[in-house]
Amino acid sequence: MASSRPTPKYALPTTISRPIALDPSAPGTIMRSALLIEALSNILGAIPMIFLTRPLLSLISPSTPSPLAVSLTQWLGGLICGLAAPLLLAYPNTKRAMESRTTVYWTLGAGEGALVPLMLWQYMKEGQESGLPGGFLLGAAGVLAATAVWRLWVMLVRPEWIGRYREEGVKGE
């Protein structure tokens, strides 16, 4: 029995894209390496937050962590682990993945842009608002700031590191 559904005139997001040819001068190797390193770092960093929460928190503060602190740390670990997904989805050298790389970097950079000032503000209040030691706040802010600077460098100064392609079989090229 033939389907009564009309043939779509527009491409669906799940449609497989046409083959692409990578620009040999900008194949995206640096970006792909950075995406993979960051995704693996997120996953490896999140595992102790989820499964070794109390020992991890004891490294930050000598006091016994509250059930709230344990739950929030586990939730943060889950969120960090989840943030590896867009990084991994942007990893392949396919049209869809390459086009998502800028969105992934700007989105994660926006999160870092919100967290770094918050951590520094809490540090200026000597950790009173957060319950975290000043050294921890500065260290965390430093790691996130360095990552944000990397993202800005790639996006604004070295966009060719993201990779370039052309669709194969497109007329006029």
Side-chain angles (χ1 to χ4, degrees), residues 49-131:
M49 294 176 77
I50 297 168
F51 299 109
L52 302 169
T53 314
R54 289 184 189 280
L56 180 68
L57 289 174
S58 71
L59 296 172
I60 299 168
S61 175
S63 62
T64 303
S66 69
L68 177 62
V70 170
S71 291
L72 290 176
T73 301
Q74 290 172 331
W75 292 358
L76 182 59
L79 178 62
I80 291 170
C81 201
L83 289 174
L87 294 164
L88 292 172
L89 289 170
Y91 177 78
N93 268 341
T94 62
K95 178 183 175 186
R96 185 159 293 134
M98 291 177 79
E99 289 177 350
S100 74
R101 290 175 185 167
T102 55
T103 302
V104 168
Y105 255 38
W106 283 120
T107 302
L108 295 176
E112 292 149 359
L115 286 172
V116 169
L118 178 60
M119 290 174 174
L120 293 175
W121 176 64
Q122 290 176 338
Y123 172 77
M124 298 299 279
K125 295 181 146 231
E126 298 175 359
Q128 298 166 9
E129 298 291 317
S130 70

Side-chain angles (χ1 to χ4, degrees), residues 122-159:
Q122 290 176 338
Y123 172 77
M124 298 299 279
K125 295 181 146 231
E126 298 175 359
Q128 298 166 9
E129 298 291 317
S130 70
L132 295 168
F136 178 83
L137 289 167
L138 277 181
V143 168
L144 292 176
T147 306
V149 167
W150 163 259
R151 291 188 207 292
L152 287 171
W153 173 262
V154 170
M155 301 298 289
L156 301 175
V157 179
R158 300 302 302 256

Side-chain angles (χ1 to χ4, degrees), residues 17-21 95 165-170:
S17 59
R18 287 186 271 193
I20 61 170
K95 178 183 175 186
Y165 70 90
R166 67 177 160 79
E167 290 186 61
E168 299 243 295
V170 176

